[in-house]
Amino acid sequence: MKPKKYLLLPLSLLVLVTTTPINASLLNSKSITQPVLGKDGMVVTQHFLATEIGSEVLLNGGNAFDASIAVAFALAVVLPRAGNIGGGGFMVLYDESSNSFEALDYRERAPEKSYKEMFLNQDGTMNGDISTIGYKSIAVPGTVHGMWAIHKRYGTLSWKSLIDPAINLAREGFRITPMMADTLNENYDKLSKFESTKKIFLSQKPMEFGILLKQPDLANTLEIISIDGVDGFYQGKVAQKITSEMKKNGGLISLKDLKKYRSVWRKPLIGDYKNFKIVTMPPPSSGGIHIIQMLNILNHFSLPDLKHNSPEYSLLLAEIMKYAYADRSKYLADPDFEKVPVEYLISSKYSQEIASRISVGSYTNSDLIAPGIAASHESLDTTHFSIADQYGNLVSNTYTINSTYGSKVVIEGTGILMNNEMDDFSAAPGIPNQFGLLGDESNEIEPFKRPLSSMSPTIIFDMNKPFMVTGSPGGSKIITAVLQNILNVIEFDMEISDAISTPRIHHQWKPDVLSLEYGFDETHAQSISKLGQPIIFEEPGTSLEAIMIRNNIFYGYGDTRRPDSKAIGVNQ
């Protein structure tokens, strides 16, 4: 049930938040890594400052939905490469008071003036520069509307009190971390194309960690939103600044586009795996469908008989991933524009059909797997957070601005770093976007349409009890990362920390290459190659931020693949 309404208390009055285990006997002594424990809640995000803000909300009596709003706005300040108010995303939630699941789609939308061939050259090839960098690549943002929708339906603390911590971070500044310094330096050339971006994020070259980063324009924008609510972003001075910059620089977003934007409440997808209920995001996310689809296929195999991450196990997962990503290429799109055959794709009949074509230890060339034209996806710098509260509510939220630092455009005078989500549409069948996935006509650009996404926020129940909250950034790799996280816990009985830390694989059908994280050794890779599957080694591209619930204790872990991640357990 919902708590009473409160105002946030000063930091000096907060109850202790713990990041250390409560009782060693509650932990798995065989684990290589150990999670953080909490009795009254858990917050896991990709940046420690956002995690601290979320945990403070819970300590002050707020619920998981309040904490989500505070975290989302805080990440817009401290994780500009992915956290945002200039982007959009998806939330899957469980409301204990009504014993119900919901899914909120606050994905970005194509502007009214957008059109199918807008990123094609005269010879029909893709103009990747226009689709990924600059004003034309920007879709209508949804984050502020999404957080407002959550607040209106589930919020208990005041809207302003939830945004105030982010305002303070933007105005007073924070010390940039080594990872943030690295990403800024790696993107220096692209970010410095825009003076409004350069003056905020590139005060020197190279950027060094420890620099105090202040964002006064963003603080002012957040303050307007905190006072005027959703209209503070989609109408008034902020909207006028956005559309003025668009008009001046060839962008397509109008005042009408902003005013007409709406987030959408959708019915979550629910599947069963063993005794577990998998609750996840429906289209325009492709992640939920294909997680359920792959789990359905895996139901036909005895995974415990295969050693975890053995060559045979890795190849089996790869084969199943190929079928899912082939289907993704053909059928997935915005359900408000295209009919997506959800029931068919997650049916037991279809999963049995696919399973009958797969043999453990056998390799199938991707060219032999239909259907034929492949899909689009967002970059590695999406971000995810998971939150659980003392009242029984759960939140799994993934949002993005697409590429690292999105379009690289900060709207002058607002501090808002904008997305480049227009690249998530298919420019034309068979033409890959910036991340190598292909696309069909179902995901082509149309006015007001939402682009296809791989984001996969997921909640799992064990019988009728909350068991797990999970999700990840990582573009097309999100789906396979979340799948392996689920399997590691359910099939191989791993502690949540080990389930996240162990090396992951990825296959997306086209190109026909199995990606292995560097945690795998050469012997493993050679064994897979001998079975016929081409492989490559890649740096980690995902970052699971997850919670497991056991015996009324919350176990949280922030993926160390992104070193700024942090889990905080709440203990009243």
Side-chain angles (χ1 to χ4, degrees), residues 45-100:
T45 86
Q46 209 176 303
H47 197 288
F48 53 90
L49 291 174
T51 302
E52 290 167 7
I53 285 171
S55 64
E56 289 164 7
V57 171
L58 296 185
L59 280 166
N60 281 293
N63 61 25
F65 314 115
D66 295 317
S68 297
I69 295 164
V71 165
F73 281 104
L75 287 169
V77 179
V78 300
L79 195 73
R81 71 177 188 273
N84 69 83
I85 57 171
F90 302 123
M91 181 184 290
V92 173
L93 61 89
Y94 172 70
D95 174 37
E96 191 277 339
S97 64
S98 61
N99 189 29
S100 63

Side-chain angles (χ1 to χ4, degrees), residues 118-121 124-134 136-137 190 193 402-403 406-408 420 422-423 427 431-435:
M118 61 186 283
F119 297 129
L120 295 182
N121 297 315
T125 58
M126 179 79 166
N127 189 331
D129 290 341
I130 298 176
S131 71
T132 59
I133 300 176
K136 195 165 280 190
S137 70
K190 292 178 181 178
K193 288 178 183 288
N402 200 20
S403 299
S407 62
K408 315 300 186 284
N420 63 349
M422 293 303 293
D423 186 69
I431 295 179
N433 73 349
Q434 62 176 316
F435 308 111

Side-chain angles (χ1 to χ4, degrees), residues 5 70 127 129 139 256 269 271 291 361 398 464 471 508 532 564 569:
K5 293 198 177 267
N127 189 331
D129 290 341
K256 180 182 176 183
L269 291 182
I291 286 169
T398 315
N464 294 314
Q508 60 187 46
D564 297 339

Side-chain angles (χ1 to χ4, degrees), residues 444-561:
E444 68 187 14
I445 300 170
E446 295 182 59
F448 308 121
K449 193 175 189 178
R450 299 169 198 262
L452 182 60
S453 170
S454 297
M455 293 183 282
S456 309
T458 300
I459 293 172
I460 301 173
F461 268 47
D462 181 358
M463 304 298 282
N464 294 314
K465 293 183 179 180
F467 177 70
M468 194 170 168
V469 184
T470 187
S472 176
S476 61
K477 294 181 179 179
I478 293 173
I479 304 169
T480 56
V482 173
L483 173 72
Q484 289 167 87
N485 190 208
I486 294 169
L487 294 174
N488 290 347
V489 172
I490 292 176
E491 290 285 9
F492 296 98
D493 198 27
M494 291 187 188
E495 188 69 85
I496 190 67
S497 49
D498 284 353
I500 289 172
S501 298
T502 191
R504 296 193 272 272
I505 70 165
H506 172 74
H507 203 301
Q508 60 187 46
W509 178 50
K510 295 288 182 76
D512 188 2
V513 178
L514 177 61
S515 166
L516 304 177
E517 287 186 342
Y518 281 117
F520 288 97
D521 60 31
E522 288 288 344
T523 304
H524 180 90
Q526 289 168 5
S527 298
I528 296 174
S529 294
K530 286 177 182 175
L531 295 171
Q533 174 65 62
I535 60 130
I536 57 170
F537 278 94
E538 286 190 312
E539 294 179 0
T542 52
S543 178
L544 289 154
E545 316 295 332
I547 300 169
M548 190 160 66
I549 304 155
R550 219 170 46 220
N551 300 321
N552 297 317
I553 299 292
F554 301 100
Y555 295 71
Y557 193 75
D559 199 333
T560 54
R561 289 169 178 81

